[in-house]
């Protein structure tokens, strides 16, 4: 029966253009937007940066889910896991889970998913094999992962980051197909199937044979999800008004002003309206003068009025960051040390900023209103964000104005995205805002890994300003080698790392970028909110495993 259903599915994909023209029952169809920027063309779980959102999460599933609101790791394809000794982690897998072609999910699939990264170093998580030794199958539902040097924090993070793939399908693919193939017609274990796609949409069809219906007692309410390409924020706002879009994960200016009049649903009734998703950080190029001077960096930190950005640019839809950049979730804030922040932290105070500059020898020698460096050289700096990212563009205008007010000659610049990325990764910039890998997670290690990534020719994973402090790298590594449940040892390391960060201020956390979420209640109700249900309302690529399935299951048709 399942194989027959697969044949039907493949036929539907081949004639997807016919499906696009169909009119679906509105009370069975969820229209979503906010994560599709070009025509769907990739469903390959080995290229997570390029795939159609929903591929990982709705089709391919993970060993665990992570609920950032409850700080809970939720067993998924695995029913449990734990360390049986200091270098061995045992996974117990869920029974009676089937791929959508009827084959059973088992330990062979889990082993293959990890081993393929050892066979092909181009797989994005192949670096795990620097500290993994072997994946051993004990029985069809038991896997033991042996480590040469266990990195406990990173392992806990990867448990809900790596989607499992069917060994019987992928073992026959070439290296090129694995690393660059489109994988049209994906076969997963998830609650939705790839039904069809067009230039402006991806259509998912509910998997009526999904294992979670029986084993978890949940079933996604929408029969179909139609994920749309939406050309801009104003278009998305209009579609929400008219009920043409059910859920939007865009930043929509003006929502606070029109929320009540148009019945727009947000997670919080009032400010900040949105949950926090990641930290926007001002990266200072530590390899360039005068950003290589800790006193200059401190002066920059004290000069910036993040509250002004929160109010004027984001209409209070975000929260000003704390000095460490720790997101307001339990997994991170349990390590936040108020005493260290009070002693070494910073806040907006231009008087302190000016004094810090003067004490360090930065003075206005030629009377133009801007300070020169202690050696008499001019200080002329730029701050970059991509053109078109209007909220960030307005933000760096404020930052440039703040810096000029204390005597630092800085200007806002808006290169196109490709140039911005090139300058960011290569270190050819003065200052830049970025948030690429500051996302909430089950461990604050992921944040520091981003901030203190080791120095390379291309800083593609973080530490874009090339802050080079062996002690910081050592502490981050020590925290990674600390078991997740050894809070006392982890706290001791984190205390030292936080103090170092605030004393050095290599970068300046600015605000917590929002988990942009607006919904229409014209067709669907019972959306996540502060009143409940308490689920993470995100449809972005790589975030479905944070609560999106529970959100879909809680929805009610009006």
């Amino acid at each position: 029966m399942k194989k027959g259903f697969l044949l039907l599915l493949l036929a539907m994909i081949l004639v997807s253009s016919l499906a696009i023209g169909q009119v679906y029952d509105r009370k069975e169809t969820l229209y979503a937007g906010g994560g599709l920027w070009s025509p769907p063309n990739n469903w390959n779980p080995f290229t997570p940066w390029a795939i159609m959102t929903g591929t990982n999460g709705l089709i391919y599933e993970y060993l665990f889910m992570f609920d950032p609101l409850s700080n809970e790791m939720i067993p998924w394809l695995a029913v449990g896991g734990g360390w049986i000794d200091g270098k061995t982690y045992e996974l117990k897998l869920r029974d009676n889970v089937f791929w959508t072609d009827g084959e059973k999910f088992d330990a062979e699939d889990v082993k293959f998913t990890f081993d393929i990264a050892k066979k092909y170093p181009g797989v994005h998580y192949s670096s795990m094999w620097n500290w993994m030794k072997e994946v051993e199958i004990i029985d069809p539902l038991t896997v033991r992962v042996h480590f040469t040097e266990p990195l406990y924090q990173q392992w806990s993070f990867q448990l809900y980051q790596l989607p499992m793939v069917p060994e019987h399908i992928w073992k026959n693919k070439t290296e090129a197909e694995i690393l660059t193939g489109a994988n049209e017609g994906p076969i997963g274990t998830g609650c939705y199937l790839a039904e069809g796609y067009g230039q402006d949409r991806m259509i998912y069809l509910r998997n009526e044979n999904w294992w979670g219906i029986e084993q978890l007692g949940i079933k996604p309410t929408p029969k179909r999800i139609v994920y749309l390409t939406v050309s801009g924020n104003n278009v998305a706002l209009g579609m929400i008004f008219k009920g043409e879009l059910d859920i939007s994960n865009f930043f929509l200016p003006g929502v606070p002003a029109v929320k009540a009049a148009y019945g727009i649903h947000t997670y919080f009734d009032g400010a900040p309206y949105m949950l926090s998703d990641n930290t926007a950080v001002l990266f200072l190029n530590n390899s360039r003068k005068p950003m290589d001077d800790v006193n200059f960096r401190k002066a920059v930190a004290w000069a910036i009025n993040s509250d002004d950005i929160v109010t004027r640019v984001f209409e209070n839809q975000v929260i000003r960051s704390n000095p460490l950049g720790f997101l307001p979730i339990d997994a991170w804030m349990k390590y936040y040390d108020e005493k260290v922040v009070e002693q070494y932290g910073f806040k907006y105070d231009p008087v302190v900023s000016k004094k810090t500059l003067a004490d360090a020898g930065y003075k206005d020698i030629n009377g133009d209103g801007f300070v020169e460096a202690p050696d008499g050289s001019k200080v002329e700096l730029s701050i970059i964000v991509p053109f078109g990212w209007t909220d960030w563009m307005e933000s760096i205008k404020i930052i440039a104005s703040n810096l000029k007010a204390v005597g630092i000659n800085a200007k806002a610049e808006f290169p196109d995205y490709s140039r911005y990325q090139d300058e960011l990764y290569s270190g050819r910039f003065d200052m830049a805002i970025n948030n690429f890998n500051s996302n909430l997670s089950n461990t604050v290690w992921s944040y520091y890994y981003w901030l203190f990534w080791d120095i390379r020719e291309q800083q593609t994973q973080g530490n874009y300003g090339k802050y080079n402090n062996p002690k910081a790298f050592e502490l981050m590594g020590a925290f990674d080698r600390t078991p997740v449940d050894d809070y006392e040892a982890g706290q001791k390391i984190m205390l030292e790392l936080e103090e170092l960060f605030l004393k050095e201020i290599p970068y300046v956390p600015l605000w917590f970028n929002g988990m942009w979420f607006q919904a229409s209640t014209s067709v669907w109700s019972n959306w996540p909110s502060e009143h409940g249900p308490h689920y993470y309302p995100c449809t972005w690529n790589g975030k479905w495993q944070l609560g999106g399935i529970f959100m879909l299951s809680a929805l009610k048709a009006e």
Side-chain angles (χ1 to χ4, degrees):
M1 177 176 155
K2 290 186 175 69
K3 290 183 178 179
F5 181 79
L6 172 64
L7 293 175
L8 175 60
L9 169 63
L10 294 177
M12 292 171 75
I13 291 174
L14 291 174
V15 294
S16 61
S17 60
L18 296 177
I20 301 307
Q22 292 182 0
V23 177
Y24 301 118
D25 186 335
R26 194 63 181 86
K27 292 186 178 297
E28 293 183 339
T29 309
L30 180 79
Y31 287 87
L36 180 59
W37 306 103
S38 59
N41 61 6
N42 189 314
W43 299 266
N44 185 342
F46 290 105
T47 57
W49 56 89
I51 57 173
M52 172 64 212
T53 182
T55 301
N56 289 345
L58 297 182
I59 296 175
Y60 294 101
E61 298 185 295
Y62 305 84
L63 293 169
F64 290 84
M65 298 286 199
F66 172 62
D67 183 349
L69 303 183
S70 65
N71 191 27
E72 180 184 8
M73 291 285 282
I74 302 171
W76 208 251
L77 290 180
V79 293
W83 295 92
I84 60 174
D85 61 49
K87 292 187 175 182
T88 308
Y89 189 92
E90 185 173 274
L91 283 161
K92 290 291 186 180
L93 305 179
R94 193 177 295 278
D95 198 4
N96 293 317
V97 173
F98 293 88
W99 301 99
T100 50
D101 63 356
E103 295 289 327
K104 192 172 185 180
F105 163 79
D106 61 17
E108 296 285 352
D109 300 308
V110 176
K111 177 175 171 59
F112 176 83
T113 300
F114 285 107
D115 284 354
I116 197 69
K118 185 178 184 180
K119 183 178 181 180
Y120 299 127
V123 174
H124 67 94
Y125 53 92
S126 62
S127 62
M128 291 176 65
W129 282 99
N130 294 334
W131 41 280
M132 287 172 59
K133 181 181 179 181
E134 178 191 9
V135 179
E136 178 189 10
I137 294 176
I138 305 301
D139 60 50
L141 295 176
T142 307
V143 172
R144 286 181 184 168
V145 184
H146 301 277
F147 299 84
T148 53
E149 180 187 30
L151 300 182
Y152 299 102
Q153 302 290 333
Q154 190 169 169
W155 175 248
S156 72
F157 178 74
Q158 296 293 357
L159 282 172
Y160 72 96
Q161 292 294 321
L162 299 180
M164 297 295 106
V165 300
E167 185 260 356
H168 65 282
I169 290 177
W170 287 86
K171 70 179 181 180
N172 298 318
K173 292 183 181 289
T174 65
E175 181 178 6
E177 287 174 321
I178 290 170
L179 297 179
T180 62
N183 188 41
E184 191 165 344
I187 302 299
T189 59
C191 54
Y192 280 87
L193 309 159
E195 183 180 25
Y197 63 93
Q199 288 294 304
D200 69 339
R201 67 192 59 204
M202 176 71 200
I203 303 171
Y204 292 100
L205 176 67
R206 188 172 59 207
N207 178 7
E208 303 297 343
N209 297 308
W210 180 50
W211 61 268
I213 298 172
E214 179 179 341
Q215 297 195 40
L216 300 178
I218 63 174
K219 182 178 182 179
T221 311
K223 181 178 180 180
R224 284 184 175 84
I225 299 173
V226 179
Y227 212 98
L228 299 173
T229 300
V230 182
S231 60
N233 293 348
N234 290 334
V235 175
L237 188 59
M239 293 175 72
I240 286 284
F241 287 164
K242 294 183 286 185
E244 296 173 350
L245 198 63
D246 297 307
I247 178 172
S248 156
N249 288 137
F250 294 92
F251 167 63
L252 300 182
V255 164
V258 301
K259 173 177 158 56
Y262 288 90
I264 297 175
H265 176 91
T266 54
Y267 192 88
F268 297 109
D269 294 337
Y273 303 98
M274 313 292 162
L275 291 164
S276 298
D277 181 77
N278 56 75
T279 305
V281 172
L282 180 67
F283 280 87
L284 310 177
N285 194 334
N286 286 235
S287 66
R288 287 188 175 185
K289 292 183 179 298
M291 280 76 66
D292 62 344
D293 180 355
V294 62
N295 292 305
F296 185 84
R297 298 196 300 266
K298 287 181 177 180
V300 169
W302 284 91
I304 297 174
N305 187 351
S306 290
D307 283 327
D308 203 19
I309 296 172
V310 167
T311 302
R312 290 170 53 189
V313 177
F314 291 100
E315 302 167 316
N316 294 305
Q317 294 186 70
V318 302
I319 303 172
R320 170 175 51 85
S321 172
N322 53 56
L324 289 172
F326 280 21
L327 287 165
I329 58 172
D330 291 344
W332 292 21
M333 289 302 292
K334 69 179 182 180
Y335 290 109
Y336 190 87
D337 193 285
E338 294 282 0
K339 291 182 180 179
V340 169
V341 173
E342 183 178 352
Q343 184 173 0
Y344 300 108
F346 59 89
K347 60 183 179 180
Y348 172 60
D349 192 329
V351 174
V352 173
S353 178
K354 289 179 180 179
K355 185 177 187 305
T356 302
L357 286 170
D359 290 347
Y362 294 86
K363 298 178 181 179
D364 180 9
I365 299 173
N366 59 13
D368 66 352
F370 299 119
V371 299
E372 278 73 40
D375 63 2
S377 61
K378 282 190 174 184
V379 176
E380 296 178 333
L381 305 173
S382 67
I383 315 166
I384 61 170
V385 299
F387 180 79
W389 296 26
T390 54
D391 48 344
W392 286 17
M393 290 170 67
E394 293 302 315
S395 297
I396 64 171
K397 289 179 185 178
I398 291 175
I399 293 172
S401 177
N402 291 158
L403 295 179
K404 288 178 180 178
V406 300
I408 298 173
N409 189 359
K411 61 180 179 179
E413 292 187 350
F414 318 118
D416 62 49
Y417 179 79
S418 60
R419 182 184 146 203
Y420 165 83
Q421 186 180 61
D422 179 60
E423 293 184 0
L424 190 74
Y425 289 173
S426 63
R428 292 184 291 106
F429 69 95
D430 296 326
M431 304 180 188
I433 292 180
N434 190 265
N435 66 340
F436 285 177
N437 289 302
S438 62
N439 308 292
L440 51 73
S441 70
N442 70 321
T443 169
V444 74
W445 163 84
S446 66
Y447 174 65
Y448 276 113
Y449 179 75
W450 177 62
L451 289 178
F452 297 149
W453 199 56
D454 55 321
I455 304 297
R456 307 186 185 189
E457 184 175 345
Q458 290 285 313
Q459 299 296 119
T460 57
Q461 300 299 312
N463 193 10
Y464 307 115
K466 297 187 177 182
Y467 173 61
N468 193 0
N469 187 325
K471 184 63 176 178
F473 303 157
E474 176 190 331
L475 289 169
M476 184 190 68
F479 186 73
D480 200 4
R481 292 188 295 273
T482 302
V484 175
D485 58 359
D486 192 348
Y487 171 72
E488 186 175 343
Q491 186 183 40
K492 185 177 180 181
I493 297 168
M494 193 54 60
L495 181 68
E496 193 173 352
L497 192 55
E498 291 173 20
E499 183 175 326
L500 181 150
F501 179 84
L502 292 175
K503 284 182 175 179
E504 292 281 307
I505 311 185
Y507 310 123
V508 184
L510 299 171
W511 69 83
F512 299 135
N513 226 45
M515 165 60 280
W516 314 125
F517 163 62
Q518 312 85 22
S520 167
T521 56
S522 62
V523 178
W524 300 98
S525 63
N526 205 37
W527 292 101
S529 77
E530 61 182 310
H531 311 293
H534 302 291
Y535 301 133
Y536 202 66
C538 187
T539 67
W540 288 333
N541 191 11
K543 291 181 181 287
W544 278 98
Q545 70 273 36
L546 301 181
I549 308 302
F550 295 110
M551 174 185 71
L552 295 175
S553 301
L555 289 177
K556 297 177 181 178
E558 285 295 300

